[in-house]
Structures are given as C-alpha cells and as structure tokens.
Amino acid sequence: MVQENGVPVGMKHYPAEFKADAVALYRSRPGATIKSVAGDLGVNTETLRNWIRAADGRRPGAHSAPLAASQAVGDAVHAELAAARCPQEDPRARGRTGQSPQGGPVFRDGDALVNRYQFVEDHQRRHGVKRLCDTLGLARSSFYYWRRTAAARAARQAVEAGLAARIRKAHQESDGTYGAPRITAELRDEGGPAVNHKHVARIMRTIGLQGVRLRRRHRTTVADQAAAKAPDLIGRDFTAAEVNRKYVGDITYLPVSGAKPLYLATVIDLASRRLAGWAIADHMRTELVIDALTAAERTRGTLTGAIMHTDHGSQYTSRAFAEICRSAGVRQSMGAIGSSADNAAAESFNSAFKRETLKGRKGWSSEGEARLDAFRWLTRYNTRHRHSRLGQRSPIAYENAIRPAATTLAQAA
C-alpha cells in the first residue's frame, strides 16, 4: 500500500480521539514546531495544522499571524536551549591541561603528566629543557613528541567536541532514552564522519549520558482456567517473512499516583515490529483487547489469514474476543500458561514503553499526563523507534524499504 509519511494513503479518516490527542501533544510542547510533531506522529504537516486550527475554531487553511509568531518564538527557544546544553568548545577553556573540558586526558597518566609537559613549555627559556625534564622526571624525547603533536591533538579534541554535541542532540531528541547503539545509528543516518558504537559509548560515559534502564514488571495476566485454549502457532519464533502475517498482543498497566491505573493493549506485527493497533482504558475488560485488534484491522485494511498470538489472559480466552478474531479472519495462538518467554516480543515492547516513558519514576502524576505521554511514545514508535533486529530502522522505514522488493516479486510472478 502506498504511504505518505509512513501512513497509508487510503487511511485519511483519523478518529476524533486521535486528532484531539495530536493537538494536545502539540500544545504540551511549547518549543516544538508543527512539522516536528507531525513527523513524530507520521501525519502530514498541513493535516496537523488544520487540526490545530479546527480546535482553535478557525477555518482550515486560514493564515494566523499569532500562530506563526508562536512557532517562531518556539524555534528560537529551541535554539537557545540547544546552545545552552551543547556549548561550543572555547580553546581557551583548556587552560594548562592540554585537553578539552569534556574529553579525556591526552596521556595515560592524566592531567598531572600533561601539566608537567606544559610547565616545561612555559619555562624552557629561563631554565632549559634538559634541566626541567630532569627535575620533573620526564624524557626529553617525550616532551618534544608532545609539543610536535600539539596541533594534531587539538584537532582530535575539536572533532571529539563536535561529536559530543551531536550525541547530546540525538540523546535529547530521543527524550533521553537512547543508548549508544541507537545513537550511533542516528549519527550514521545524518551522514558525516564514520562512527562506531564503542566510540559513542565512551563519549557518552565521559559527558554523563546513558539510555534508560529496564524496570520491574507488574503482572497483568489473569488466566481463566475454565476457558477454551488456542494452540501455539508461534512456538517462540518471533519472526515473520512478510508483514501482516503474524502478530503478538499483550496488556500492560500505566501506574497513576494516587489514582486508578490505566491499561494499554497492543497488537504488534512480528515482521516489522510495527504497532498496528493499540487501545488505552481504565479497565482490563475484553473490550480493551477488542478495540486494539479493531485498530490493527483498520491500519492494515484486512487481517485475513493472520495469526494473533497472546498469553492466556481472560480477555484473550473470552468468547467475545474469539468471535472478533473469527470475523476478521484471524487465527488465535497462545503460549503456555505462566510462561512469559512464550510471548517475549510483546513483553519486550511493554518493557521498552515503560522505561522510556516513566524513566525511573514510579508513576504518572495524573491520568491526563499518562495518556498524553503514552500517545506521544506510541505514535513516535512506528516512525522513530529504531530496532537492532531491523538494522536500526524504525518499523515504518523497514516496511517502506521492503515494499519495492515485494512489489517486484509480485509483478514477476
């Protein structure tokens, strides 16, 4: 299916709830531009602009000087923040250490050795290189090598400072969630000098950046022992040769401080890891997983012949969910009771969602904040989230890359 910004061209009728959440997301980020938010959501820039105008009670397509001015101010604030967080290195800031404030020591012995070389450089006319080196316990050949390579060393430090600034920017744009492998992929996509993940990891340690870490799981699966069980059609093989053939689904909870938690149900394509459908509610009733599957069917157009693999939660073993699967042409599949490994792909998705939205917090401050954070992450996931299994590409980028090959094969047949 032809796509525009990662969204099927045929899918032009967005639910009202999606539009409202998109507008709320834009308004919650004062420094963001319409273009950047639209890119995260995978929708056309003008489409999002019209939703915002409609929410403001203005005619779609109408010009608005205040809105344009607000965007200009937002862009300026973004630029100032970027400059404040990623300052350019001033060569004078190195002082007498011969190193960048953000870089490591030039020699293995650290600043003390560099300081001694610099001392000899500063006082050689008065005392002579030989006497100073003897007094400080330095080899003259080492001092001369240090002085001879000063220009090359300064050039390397400038390159390191520039790379550190790019790493900070990529880390910030991922909401502080990306570790070295994904940041490396971001830098490679930008072009420029080649980088490897070990180099990126070293600089991230130096400047105090890291990706978010895994949080402890919370049990949401309550099996109905009396319900009918479906056979395991996956067998822990969480791969697929084509999109829209094998899906996994699960439920995870969204903790809200001092209030009832929310619950998220997902439907994930095993070929591209695309989040084909999802639903959020303040309950775990069967309607939640039915809504997620219905959303996936709307995204794909049809699910006929696809496998839907889940755990043995009562929502998935219910008669209502089985009927929805039958009407959509979906074959149900279930792993063993109590085995998280039998639905590992869905569990992995839930873990990534939790650690990259909560970032170590115990919960959200309100239901509104939880819904907005979830909406932003879930919509960015398909357009931005990089997967090592997909060659560090996002699900949408992967599907767009394999589509020409699939079309060619179909035409040849």
Side-chain angles (χ1 to χ4, degrees):
M1 182 182 294
V2 179
Q3 297 198 359
E4 175 182 301
N5 289 340
V7 178
V9 169
M11 183 181 170
K12 291 300 183 183
H13 301 291
Y14 295 88
E17 184 179 0
F18 184 94
K19 296 178 183 178
D21 285 340
V23 173
L25 175 62
Y26 168 73
R27 288 173 173 169
S28 72
R29 302 168 62 193
T33 63
I34 292 179
K35 182 178 180 180
S36 67
V37 175
D40 288 346
L41 300 179
V43 302
N44 184 276
T45 302
E46 194 59 31
T47 298
L48 178 57
R49 182 175 285 111
N50 285 335
W51 293 348
I52 295 170
R53 286 167 177 157
D56 291 338
R58 290 182 282 115
R59 186 177 71 258
H63 296 287
S64 172
L67 182 60
S70 174
Q71 289 182 47
V73 172
D75 289 344
V77 170
H78 248 333
E80 290 178 10
L81 284 174
R85 293 175 183 173
C86 306
Q88 297 297 313
E89 181 187 354
D90 183 351
R92 294 172 297 180
R94 295 194 188 108
R96 296 299 189 185
T97 64
Q99 65 169 349
S100 162
Q102 299 167 348
V106 177
F107 292 87
R108 292 184 182 275
D109 289 349
D111 291 353
L113 180 58
V114 174
N115 285 336
R116 282 183 284 164
Y117 285 135
Q118 190 64 55
F119 187 87
V120 174
E121 176 73 11
D122 293 343
H123 298 86
Q124 59 177 313
R125 290 187 178 181
R126 181 178 180 182
H127 301 289
V129 172
K130 183 178 185 304
R131 176 180 292 181
L132 289 170
C133 285
D134 288 345
T135 302
L136 296 176
L138 300 172
R140 277 180 291 169
S141 60
S142 297
F143 165 73
Y144 287 126
Y145 175 81
W146 174 82
R147 188 167 65 179
R148 187 170 65 252
T149 57
R153 204 162 50 246
R156 286 197 302 272
Q157 289 163 357
V159 170
E160 290 274 294
L163 181 56
R166 294 174 63 201
I167 289 172
R168 279 198 182 92
K169 182 175 181 292
H171 189 260
Q172 181 183 352
E173 290 179 348
S174 74
D175 291 337
T177 62
Y178 278 6
R182 286 175 178 158
I183 286 183
T184 302
E186 288 283 341
L187 299 182
R188 287 173 178 169
D189 278 359
E190 290 175 2
V195 293
N196 64 66
H197 74 278
K198 291 183 179 179
H199 190 186
V200 171
R202 177 178 61 76
I203 293 180
M204 289 183 68
R205 287 194 298 269
T206 301
I207 61 181
L209 297 181
Q210 63 179 4
V212 293
R213 300 183 181 277
L214 187 65
R215 287 178 55 85
R216 183 171 60 87
R217 291 182 63 250
H218 179 86
R219 184 171 179 239
T220 55
T221 301
V222 179
D224 182 353
Q225 303 295 334
K229 307 298 188 294
D232 186 353
L233 305 178
I234 296 292
R236 298 190 182 182
D237 176 14
F238 300 108
T239 62
E242 300 177 52
V243 299
N244 201 23
R245 290 293 179 266
K246 292 164 67 175
Y247 292 90
V248 292
D250 198 11
I251 300 174
T252 191
Y253 88 118
L254 283 61
V256 178
S257 299
K260 186 178 179 181
L262 298 176
Y263 297 91
L264 166 68
T266 54
V267 179
I268 303 165
D269 192 309
L270 287 179
S272 63
R273 290 304 194 266
R274 180 172 182 170
L275 179 60
W278 54 276
I280 295 178
D282 60 359
H283 61 79
M284 286 199 299
R285 295 191 295 272
T286 303
E287 302 97 277
L288 176 65
V289 296
I290 289 176
D291 287 346
L293 186 65
T294 301
E297 187 176 25
R298 186 167 58 244
T299 297
R300 291 305 194 191
T302 179
L303 296 176
T304 301
I307 294 172
M308 179 64 181
H309 183 79
T310 66
D311 58 27
H312 285 263
S314 57
Q315 302 86 352
Y316 294 113
T317 58
S318 67
R319 183 176 301 176
F321 186 72
E323 181 57 36
I324 288 294
C325 287
R326 278 194 294 271
S327 64
V330 172
R331 293 183 293 163
Q332 279 190 272
S333 170
M334 296 179 185
I337 294 178
S339 175
S340 60
D342 283 355
N343 202 19
E347 298 279 355
S348 176
F349 176 92
N350 292 340
S351 297
F353 167 76
K354 287 285 189 66
R355 67 174 177 265
E356 294 185 11
T357 51
L358 286 173
K359 299 177 184 176
R361 296 176 295 167
K362 292 184 178 179
W364 284 273
S365 61
S366 67
E367 178 180 324
E369 182 191 32
R371 285 183 179 274
L372 193 59
D373 275 2
F375 177 78
R376 178 168 187 256
W377 191 92
L378 294 169
T379 50
R380 277 174 57 98
Y381 170 85
N382 283 332
T383 59
R384 305 283 189 180
H385 197 90
R386 294 179 180 273
H387 290 261
S388 57
R389 187 182 293 273
L390 305 179
Q392 293 298 359
R393 289 174 290 185
S394 70
I396 291 293
Y398 176 79
E399 288 193 4
N400 288 340
I402 65 173
R403 183 168 293 106
T407 302
T408 301
L409 290 174
Q411 291 174 344

